[in-house]
């Protein structure tokens, strides 16, 4: 292998005996592992309820396997809440839905201390965030003080009450939803809060044929999802994702596209200097590595490809950018910036091994 090129390394293990039925394979021809089969089965089960939102389903599962939090943005009625509750059912974890409103206070989320006169002592009442899946529905309807109460929950996965730290269940994920079209009674998420989310996924309206499928499935007896995973299996899948190989040149590619949002003039993007106020944080680099590992596992590989980085870059980086007022006035969006970066910063090339026959013929000559 040349130093300037990347190539996924084979794991060198002896392949297991072939199953009775052929296992699905990834585009490179590698048979899907048991972890991949479980993840695909979970996605298929969610898709029996959720129609036409395959990208949203895949991204939320990526966030779950990558141990990150997810922000879903879309207009009402596109199955954001239903997707999260269905995913919680399929993966077998406990589920809590928090409906954010302007009159919410932090103790409604994380819990509080209550004085009991009969015992003359304070008892801790833990809040509804103590669940495997926490759905923060319409998170931008709550004021900043309530939103900031989730910072410790999301970053440290713990809650401090009365000087005592209470760990959250493991696995733990916060999936928040927000409506992008309303302006009254809405509090935009602060930069620190947005940065805690591994990814932000835009949820569009379904297309015509998907809308027809929704009518067929949901107008009579809606389908009921079945449990495929459990919290212990889910933790094992998270560990499997952490073992997915990331080549040094893939890591270098991730660093280059993140740095291009901070120092655009060093990457042939000098015109973005007037557009970007703040570039992507180091959490973007860490998030890209974790998310691409999860995506590779779902797609049946034990190594990350440059295409995995390109697929997830918008979801992981766009919401971390802060644009200048001039850029906002010109209608430039963070997605436009990420697309420009991906088009300019070259990815490493992936070179596959030659077939054995070709290699043997070359050796004979």
């Amino acid at each position: 292998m040349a130093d300037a090129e990347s190539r996924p390394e084979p794991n060198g293990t002896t392949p297991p005996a072939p199953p009775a039925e052929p296992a699905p394979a990834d585009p490179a021809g590698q048979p899907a592992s048991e972890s991949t089969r479980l993840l695909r089965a979970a996605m298929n089960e969610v898709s029996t309820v959720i129609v036409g939102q395959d990208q949203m389903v895949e991204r939320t599962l990526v966030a779950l396997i990558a141990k990150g939090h997810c922000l879903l943005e879309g207009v009402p009625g596109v199955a954001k809440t239903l997707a999260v509750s269905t995913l919680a059912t399929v993966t077998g974890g406990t589920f809590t839905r928090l409906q954010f409103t302007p009159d919410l206070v932090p103790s409604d989320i994380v819990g509080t201390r209550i004085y009991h006169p009969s015992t003359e002592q304070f008892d801790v009442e833990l809040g509804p965030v103590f669940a495997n899946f926490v759905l923060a529905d319409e998170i931008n309807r709550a004021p900043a003080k309530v939103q900031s109460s989730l910072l410790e929950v999301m970053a440290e996965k713990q809650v401090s009450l009365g000087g005592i730290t209470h760990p959250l269940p493991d696995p733990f994920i916060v999936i928040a939803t927000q409506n992008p079209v309303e302006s009254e009674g809405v509090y935009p998420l602060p930069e620190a809060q947005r940065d805690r989310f591994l990814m932000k996924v835009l949820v569009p309206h379904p297309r015509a044929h998907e809308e027809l499928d929704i009518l067929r499935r949901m107008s009579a007896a809606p389908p009921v999802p079945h449990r495929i995973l459990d919290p212990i299996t889910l933790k094992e899948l998270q560990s499997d994702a952490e073992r997915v190989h990331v080549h040094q040149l893939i890591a270098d590619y991730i660093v280059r596209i993140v740095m291009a949002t901070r120092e655009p003039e060093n990457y042939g993007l000098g015109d973005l200097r007037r557009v970007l106020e703040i570039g992507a944080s180091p959490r973007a680099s860490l998030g890209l590595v974790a998310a691409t590992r999860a995506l590779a596992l779902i797609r049946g590989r034990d190594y990350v490809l440059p295409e995995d980085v390109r697929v997830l870059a918008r979801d992981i980086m766009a919401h971390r950018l802060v644009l200048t007022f001039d850029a906002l006035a010109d209608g430039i969006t963070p997605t436009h910036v990420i697309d420009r970066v991906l088009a300019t910063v070259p990815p490493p090339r992936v070179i596959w091994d030659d077939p054995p026959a070709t290699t043997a013929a070359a050796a004979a000559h």
Side-chain angles (χ1 to χ4, degrees), residues 329-340:
D330 293 339
I332 298 175
T333 65
T335 303
H336 293 153
V337 176
I338 300 302
D339 289 342
R340 179 75 188 286

Side-chain angles (χ1 to χ4, degrees), residues 11-65:
N11 55 23
T13 58
T14 303
E21 295 182 2
D26 77 318
Q30 177 180 332
S33 65
E34 180 62 24
S35 299
T36 299
R37 282 193 287 271
L38 285 172
L39 291 171
R40 289 177 179 174
M43 286 182 58
N44 292 336
E45 189 65 27
V46 174
S47 297
T48 62
V49 178
I50 306 301
V51 179
Q53 300 290 359
D54 294 339
Q55 178 174 315
M56 175 183 64
V57 172
E58 183 183 62
R59 298 296 192 270
T60 51
L61 190 58
V62 165
L64 179 60
I65 300 302

